[in-house]
Amino acid sequence: MSNDWQSRTKAVHAGSRRSQYGEVSEAIYLTQGFVYETAEHAEARFESIGPDEFIYARYGNPTVAMFEERIAALEGAEDAFATASGMAAVSGALTSMLRAGDHVVSARALFGSCLYILEEVLARFGVEVTFVDGADLAEWEAAIRPDTKAVFFESVSNPTLQVVDIEAVCKLAHARGALVLVDNVFATPVYSRAIEQGADVVIYSATKHIDGQGRALGGVVLGSRDFIRGTLEPYMKHTGGSMSPFTAWIMLKGLETMSLRVRAQCASAQELAESLEGHPQLAKVLYPGLESHAQHDLVQRQMGAGGTVLAFELKGGKEAAFRFLNACKVGIISNNLGDAKTIMTHPATTTHQRLPQDQKELLGIAPGLVRFSVGLEDVADLKADILQALEQV
Ligand SMILES: *Cc1c(COP(=O)(O)O)cnc(C)c1O
């Protein structure tokens, strides 16, 4: 692979390792372990493992290594570690580097499972976490202390699509010696420049746009070789959150078409958001690509596009939202995102059901809010379907 290649070329070729058969599509090495020719070879491999040598699939596997190399090349990161799910990536990245007594600053607007890790798991192990409004740089500045070890946020929050200024928060964190970990799912690897913008560690749920077709759970952590191999890998390989070779193969094939899919989904999301804005049944339309988005300039600077997810609030609250969802014929009611199929979610009663009412209000998760992950269907069909469903509300 050449480092000069554009990202679409890397997404197709980077990381490929061909066996002696010269297969075109990446081989799936569905094996838990590897055979050593002699006892001396086994001893030598356990002493020091080479870049193309493997011991046990929990530690590494050729198909998984291909996925790690490909996504690292795309993201411009030194290295990557693939995990069993996005949450294995988030929890592994945080718990591998933190210990009792450490301090963490996190944005408040988080995916439910991320909130569980930050709020409950870390507290149980004696890590202090301060939550801030991710869009408010003054709050970040006040919360990050000289002894802060890590800063964590979703670069675009779920489901209200608030954007955190990666470059500005990294400057504040780095000035105090803290590491910045970014959950970059909503930005997608296609529009991400998080490493270049200063993030030390970038995390994806590969379940979302990387697979993009609803087949498998997976995740990945990207960062410096020192962090990935020195801090994260020892933790992951002994605690068991590694990606399976079959999943790695799905994700490799997903990366090959990801750019085409995500750009098409993003173009449709932009068109839908623009045409829905101002609709009499809607209290608001939230989409980072809209000029009316509170952080429109930051979105353009940081991602250059609004992403594949929009959200809108129906004026009639939960009852109207449910009537709308039940009247749609193209989009399906589920809770994944980034999929080829348009997926509609009612956050207040599903993904964010557990949150107390005051937290929901603080985060803008209103009873009428619908999250809309735009798929690969014809945008004219999606638009017509939304409009007919709004009519029925
Ligand atoms: C889905 C998601 C995760 C968790 O990923 P899984 O693959 O479901 O474990 C983490 N963060 C964000 C922002 C997500 O959307």
Side-chain angles (χ1 to χ4, degrees), residues 85-87 90 111 114 154 183 185-186 205 207-208 217-218 337:
S85 68
M87 285 323 301
V90 172
F111 177 68
C114 292
E154 293 171 14
D183 178 333
V185 166
F186 278 63
S205 162
T207 317
K208 313 294 163 58
L217 281 177
L337 60 96

Side-chain angles (χ1 to χ4, degrees), residues 82 234 237 273:
K237 76 184 188 187

Side-chain angles (χ1 to χ4, degrees), residues 1 5-14 74:
M1 194 210 60
W5 284 350
Q6 301 297 311
S7 61
R8 280 174 62 171
T9 311
K10 289 178 180 166
V12 174
H13 290 290
L74 261 183

